[in-house]
Amino acid sequence: MRALSASLLLLVLVGPIGCKRGLIDRPDTADAGSYARVGPLGLAVESVRHGKVRVRGMMGQEGESKDDVFVIKTRFKLLDTSMPVKQPAIQQDGGIQFSFGENKLRLVDGQGREAKPVAAWGLDAVSARRTGTTVLNAENSEATDLLTFESIPGATGDLTLEVPASYQPMQPNGNYAIQKSPGTFKIRIPKDVWDGQPPTVDAGPGRWATVGPVSVSVEAVRLGKVKVRTLHGTGDSSEDLLCVAVRVKLADPAARVKKPPFVPSSIGAPFASPALALRPARGGEPYKVLTSFGFGEVLGRQSHDAELSAQQPEVTDLITFEAKAAEADELILTIWPKWKERKPDGTWADTTSEEDFRFRIPKGMWAK
């Protein structure tokens, strides 16, 4: 995702809690510590992009939305920790997004055209979307959430985001009270923040993309057959594939990460899906990832979870795509962060990053 530029202007429509209703200017800053405020609660927009959003299925499958959407990462923070509040999730997946009345979730472009909130359908869920209400207090003062809106064809100028401040303050008796008109956060998002490509690394040995404590590089790309080990021995695949060799290493030597294979085995993990997508650089449908060949094991592919630490900081992996991908002049490979990180208490937690590893692969890497 693109970081917000220093020109981000925050405006807040103040609710009736101790303030007169009106517009209050906020500092022009992209700093995550800069919050628009309503009552005790602050809201910051941490990143904005226009494109596909990651979606997770009921069985843990990873995928992408079919259409491009506006993806907005937000962070709520309790600025007055003497007043605990309940802060609900802003959007819900699994059905139609209802938004009525004066205080509703809105995204408007420079011409006043409104983008409707959109959600994942059925049993799918947008990755990193908060699904329930969070209690914010002195010990747990922050909560992130991910908002998604339909694409506006030919959107121009700045975008304006309006988010209802639908928090519930704690009462003296310990209950949380629903407010009738708590107010609305209003944030202007300059065009140069959302209109552009996310950070992309040119593929090649030693050229690293980093997300959190993990770095990935695309070391080599070739078109041809792969070695496959079966019950009857080792041989070549029956068809040519576009093979992408990658290296993964710890960017933070103090971290411990449990990284699964980028391409899960259809035998060992039948409901899992590759956490990546390969497309033509000029746009189009993703190419098919070839996960297995019957009961054969692709040699060179990471076959099980690898624990990365200061003692063993690297692992390699092999990603295979249909040969049709080699017809493109340039490819964009997007890999979604999917690992567990060891916490101080010794437990393992899934990564929650919405950033991606993104690589530009020119045809010259495989058509030599």
Side-chain angles (χ1 to χ4, degrees):
M1 290 182 186
R2 296 190 55 170
L4 296 186
S5 72
S7 62
L8 181 61
L9 176 65
L10 297 179
L11 300 174
V12 56
L13 182 60
V14 178
I17 302 194
C19 296
K20 183 178 180 180
R21 177 177 291 272
L23 289 174
I24 297 179
D25 288 344
R26 305 298 299 178
D28 293 344
T29 178
D31 194 332
S34 180
Y35 289 83
R37 181 168 183 166
V38 175
L41 196 62
L43 174 64
V45 171
E46 295 199 333
S47 61
V48 184
R49 65 179 176 88
H50 183 241
K52 302 288 189 293
V53 66
R54 296 205 303 268
V55 179
R56 183 181 62 256
M58 183 180 66
M59 303 303 294
Q61 310 97 315
E62 296 280 348
E64 286 185 319
S65 58
K66 180 181 178 181
D67 301 315
D68 288 348
V69 296
F70 289 106
V71 185
I72 304 176
K73 183 181 179 181
T74 62
R75 182 177 296 273
F76 285 92
K77 184 173 182 178
L78 186 64
L79 302 177
D80 180 359
T81 55
S82 67
M83 185 186 294
V85 302
K86 276 187 176 180
Q87 203 285 311
I90 306 172
Q91 281 184 294
Q92 297 287 340
D93 290 317
I96 300 175
Q97 299 291 289
F98 294 99
S99 187
F100 301 111
E102 178 184 355
N103 293 334
K104 66 177 184 178
L105 182 64
R106 301 178 70 227
L107 184 69
V108 181
D109 80 344
Q111 295 183 354
R113 296 178 296 173
E114 186 169 343
K116 296 179 181 179
V118 294
W121 291 81
L123 300 177
D124 290 341
V126 172
S127 298
R129 174 107 78 205
R130 187 151 52 92
T131 59
T133 298
T134 299
V135 174
L136 301 179
N137 51 38
E139 292 74 32
N140 181 43
S141 63
E142 299 185 15
T144 60
D145 213 340
L146 202 71
L147 310 181
T148 49
F149 295 84
E150 67 178 358
S151 175
I152 303 176
T156 61
D158 299 346
L159 300 176
T160 301
L161 173 67
E162 296 183 16
V163 179
S166 52
Y167 64 91
Q168 303 171 25
M170 178 183 281
Q171 304 301 297
N173 62 5
N175 295 328
Y176 292 89
I178 298 177
Q179 301 179 93
K180 184 177 181 181
S181 300
T184 302
F185 298 103
K186 188 174 182 180
I187 301 174
R188 188 167 74 233
I189 306 169
K191 184 178 177 66
D192 63 352
V193 170
W194 62 266
D195 185 25
Q197 293 296 323
T200 305
V201 173
D202 290 332
R207 296 174 180 172
W208 300 94
T210 300
V211 175
V214 174
S215 293
V216 176
S217 72
V218 172
E219 296 286 294
V221 182
R222 69 176 181 87
L223 178 65
K225 294 179 170 51
V226 293
K227 293 292 182 182
V228 179
R229 180 189 294 121
T230 68
L231 296 175
H232 305 290
T234 300
D236 291 334
S237 59
S238 59
E239 56 189 288
D240 286 345
L241 309 171
L242 188 72
C243 308
V244 181
V246 298
R247 286 173 63 199
V248 182
K249 71 175 183 179
L250 281 181
D252 178 2
R256 290 183 65 180
V257 167
K258 192 179 293 183
K259 177 209 169 284
F262 285 132
V263 180
S265 167
S266 59
I267 301 172
F271 297 108
S273 58
L276 49 88
L278 182 72
R279 283 187 168 85
R282 296 180 181 178
E285 292 299 312
Y287 295 107
K288 184 179 179 181
V289 183
L290 298 182
T291 59
S292 64
F293 301 87
F295 291 97
E297 175 188 3
V298 175
L299 298 182
R301 179 173 289 164
Q302 185 184 332
S303 59
H304 56 275
D305 288 359
E307 186 173 331
L308 305 181
S309 64
Q311 291 72 41
Q312 187 171 341
E314 293 193 16
V315 66
T316 60
D317 207 345
L318 185 67
I319 311 169
T320 50
F321 298 91
E322 60 180 331
K324 181 181 177 181
E327 298 173 4
D329 292 329
E330 187 176 76
L331 299 167
I332 297 295
L333 173 64
T334 304
I335 300 176
W336 312 318
K338 192 174 182 181
W339 62 72
K340 293 181 182 292
E341 190 169 354
R342 192 174 178 87
K343 297 167 62 177
D345 63 3
T347 59
W348 295 88
D350 290 330
T351 179
T352 58
S353 177
E354 272 301 306
E355 296 180 83
D356 299 323
F357 301 101
R358 183 179 165 93
F359 299 93
R360 182 183 297 105
I361 307 175
K363 191 162 190 167
M365 286 196 73
W366 68 85
K368 300 177 180 178

